[in-house]
Amino acid sequence: MSTWITATPPTPNGHLHVGHISGPYLAGDVMARALAADGQETWYSTGLDDNQTYVPRRSWGEGGTPEETAERYTRSIVDTWAAAGVRFDAIVRPHGVEYESRVRNLFSLLIESGHVVAEERPLPFCEPCDLWLYEAYLGGKCPHCGAGTNGNACEDCCRPNVCADVVDPFCIRCGATPEVRQTKLHVLPLEPLRDRLVEFWASCDMPERLRAVCRAMAAERLPDILVSHPSDWGIPTEADPALRTYVWLEMAEGYAAEAPPAGHDRLVQFFGIDNGYFHAVLFPAVNLALGREELLPEKFVVNEFFQLNGSKFSTSRRHAIWASELLPVVGADLLRLHCLLRRPATSRTDFTLDDLSRTEKVLDVWDATFRGVFALDGTATTVDEAALPADLRRSGRAVRAQLDLARRFCRPDDFDPPAAVEQLMSAARVIGSALDEVRAMGPEGTAAAAALRAWTAEFAEAAAPVVPDGSAYLRQACSGTERPARYFGLGVG
């Protein structure tokens, strides 16, 4: 079984914040590491999303060109992934002759097949800025749920809009109320793809929150999606170079460019709920229209918003704690453990520094426990657990059961990172209690000490997808090499 795992390409309009790390990137890394530990072929990929209009919007406030903005934040994003221990097999940059040719070809194929058509459509226009308003250039209220939104899609209800239907629209750049003008655009009508989309939704493993979005859209006529805009940012369409390809249509081909060279048996996609419509509706529609069934995911792993002081982390609003600033202070193990433990899988969760401190104490306890295990006297290397006292035999069974669950919760079928962390915490507590019992045994605890070392080695293997750095140090200690002063968190080595 070969598994291709993707994580949503981030927009290089700012540094990665803790909310990003808690979402697709770290979770996808955990699954990829867990499958690789099983000896399975895995391919973990992502890209960058330079052609989002949030990039030029950021450059308005920072000066310089959009290209310079994208390059600066791309370097920061890639460095942050590395510092957090997130390993990708492929990171696709969305420019260059080959990439842009792929996107243009995708657009042309959709036109040739009749799935994308050119039409005159209304679109907001800001006279003072001489700017067509869509995506990040347009603000207002969602026509479906009334929440604040930008153009083309709402982050709250996850449903698309056509910009001209945004309520109380305004120009993000100057605040003016736009006028609505007719202009040439391209649209992708989804209604002709209804039956195939419904069949795909029934076959795909997805959370109920996302399935509800699909049901809500299917309860009405499926919308026409704007897939080009008059703009000077993005990849020009082959049909009309004055129109730029809608960046989320582009991403359908961006994912195709990430595909493993040796093929795959299943595709698992990680993304935030605000990107749910694109992954569950738009991308499958494009791939179904072109007969690219190999690009249809088997499973969606979705996260809700990780909030900061009760409000959504936001790069564009600079409401965030930047992972690049936090990692040097707390270390990769602590940030990974905390983000996985508090991962907002089915509901929004809140990040606080006090809560982070509580998770830090978990690593402190782990360190004290495992230092205690390796400080025990005894030279026994073989373990006869049947000869251990009854309490310790029960402890061994409990540790193995909990570690088995931790492993299971890192694999696709039962993927649940918070549950995996809880099982690791439980196993470490049992090892800690057993350590107290073995210490009380004195010189007669030689065989029991060997059992604790064996359980510690098993813990290190099970914890490796979650806290890879500390687990590596722990494995070294188990093999008899030099032990660091601290296994998990800062201060190792």
Side-chain angles (χ1 to χ4, degrees):
M1 171 69 76
S2 60
T3 304
W4 174 22
I5 301 168
T6 71
T8 302
T11 305
N13 67 324
H15 306 289
L16 286 184
H17 52 62
V18 172
H20 289 130
I21 293 295
S22 74
Y25 309 115
L26 182 51
D29 181 73
V30 168
M31 183 182 289
R33 286 177 182 270
L35 290 174
D38 291 341
Q40 295 190 37
E41 292 182 15
T42 61
W43 181 266
Y44 185 28
S45 69
T46 190
L48 275 300
D49 198 17
D50 298 29
N51 296 317
Q52 283 274 8
T53 49
Y54 287 94
V55 173
R57 173 174 157 179
R58 175 54 54 194
S59 71
W60 296 343
E62 294 186 344
T65 66
E67 291 83 0
E68 290 168 340
T69 296
E71 189 60 34
R72 178 168 61 255
Y73 288 119
T74 291
R75 289 195 299 270
S76 171
I77 288 166
V78 172
D79 288 346
T80 300
W81 281 331
V86 176
R87 306 180 305 188
F88 289 106
D89 296 292
I91 301 173
V92 172
R93 298 293 305 276
H95 45 68
V97 173
E98 181 179 352
Y99 179 89
E100 292 184 9
S101 176
R102 291 186 66 137
V103 174
R104 288 193 179 97
N105 185 58
L106 170 77
F107 204 97
S108 295
L109 288 174
L110 289 169
I111 290 177
E112 291 168 9
S113 64
H115 289 284
V116 164
V117 294
E119 293 183 356
E120 290 283 324
R121 287 285 182 120
L123 195 69
F125 182 81
C126 178
E127 182 73 36
C129 294
D130 189 27
L131 186 68
W132 291 100
L133 303 185
Y134 66 101
E135 286 182 346
Y137 300 155
L138 175 66
K141 296 177 183 176
C142 174
H144 305 291
C145 71
T149 191
N150 290 121
N152 294 90
C154 174
E155 289 189 353
D156 272 55
C157 70
C158 309
R159 296 192 51 184
N161 61 66
V162 291
C163 302
D165 59 350
V166 168
V167 179
D168 298 331
F170 62 90
C171 172
I172 289 290
R173 188 167 195 174
C174 72
T177 300
E179 58 180 290
V180 176
R181 297 181 179 179
Q182 293 290 123
T183 187
K184 179 184 176 183
L185 300 168
H186 291 87
V187 298
L188 169 63
L190 295 182
E191 185 62 27
L193 295 164
R194 167 184 288 275
D195 291 345
R196 282 182 280 176
L197 280 171
V198 170
E199 182 179 356
F200 165 70
W201 294 334
S203 69
C204 185
D205 181 353
M206 69 176 80
E208 182 57 29
R209 166 92 148 91
L210 183 56
R211 199 173 295 281
V213 173
C214 298
R215 282 200 302 267
M217 291 184 65
E220 306 168 2
R221 181 185 182 278
L222 290 177
D224 297 346
I225 305 301
L226 305 184
V227 293
S228 70
H229 303 91
S231 179
D232 59 1
W233 184 250
I235 297 177
T237 68
E238 195 74 38
D240 186 342
L243 298 176
R244 295 306 194 265
T245 304
Y246 180 34
V247 69
W248 287 101
L249 180 71
E250 172 200 325
M251 195 181 293
E253 189 59 31
Y255 275 129
E258 297 175 17
H264 60 281
D265 296 314
R266 63 179 169 185
L267 169 57
V268 180
Q269 292 195 314
F270 285 76
F271 52 89
I273 189 62
D274 52 328
N275 295 157
Y277 141 74
F278 304 112
H279 289 82
V281 182
L282 181 59
F283 302 157
V286 170
N287 291 321
L288 288 166
L290 298 181
R292 306 195 303 186
E293 281 77 10
E294 73 278 5
L295 297 178
L296 295 176
E298 177 181 300
K299 183 181 182 69
F300 291 136
V301 183
V302 184
N303 60 275
E304 297 283 340
F305 295 136
F306 203 22
Q307 299 185 144
L308 174 62
N309 299 324
S311 298
K312 174 182 174 287
F313 274 88
S314 172
T315 298
S316 59
R317 296 194 303 272
R318 290 302 193 254
H319 178 72
I321 293 179
W322 308 115
S324 58
E325 296 177 353
L326 191 60
L327 277 163
V329 178
V330 305
D333 281 340
L334 175 54
L335 187 61
R336 288 175 70 100
L337 189 73
H338 185 71
C339 285
L340 291 168
L341 183 61
R342 299 289 180 255
R343 187 172 186 271
T346 58
S347 61
R348 299 185 179 192
T349 57
D350 207 30
F351 177 90
T352 68
L353 291 177
D354 286 344
D355 200 22
L356 181 67
S357 295
R358 284 188 284 273
T359 304
E360 185 175 25
K361 289 181 174 61
V362 172
L363 289 185
D364 291 342
V365 171
W366 288 9
D367 254 67
T369 297
F370 297 124
R371 283 200 306 272
V373 168
F374 291 111
L376 290 171
D377 292 331
T379 57
T381 56
T382 59
V383 181
D384 181 9
E385 295 195 15
L388 295 177
D391 284 352
L392 288 177
R393 293 200 303 273
R394 282 192 292 270
S395 294
R397 290 194 296 270
V399 166
R400 291 200 170 94
Q402 289 155 350
L403 295 181
D404 283 346
L405 283 172
R407 294 185 189 94
R408 194 176 99 190
F409 291 139
C410 292
R411 272 66 177 175
D413 289 345
D414 299 293
F415 191 72
D416 189 342
V421 173
E422 292 284 0
Q423 292 301 319
L424 291 173
M425 292 166 60
S426 295
R429 283 194 294 270
V430 174
I431 294 173
S433 296
L435 174 62
D436 292 337
E437 187 172 347
V438 174
R439 281 170 171 159
M441 295 171 69
E444 297 181 2
T446 300
L452 287 185
R453 287 193 291 273
W455 301 346
T456 298
E458 293 176 38
F459 180 93
E461 293 298 331
V466 173
V467 281
D469 291 345
S471 294
Y473 283 109
L474 201 56
R475 286 197 298 269
Q476 290 174 11
C478 291
S479 67
T481 57
E482 184 177 352
R483 296 192 292 273
R486 184 177 175 90
Y487 299 107
F488 295 97
L490 294 180
V492 299

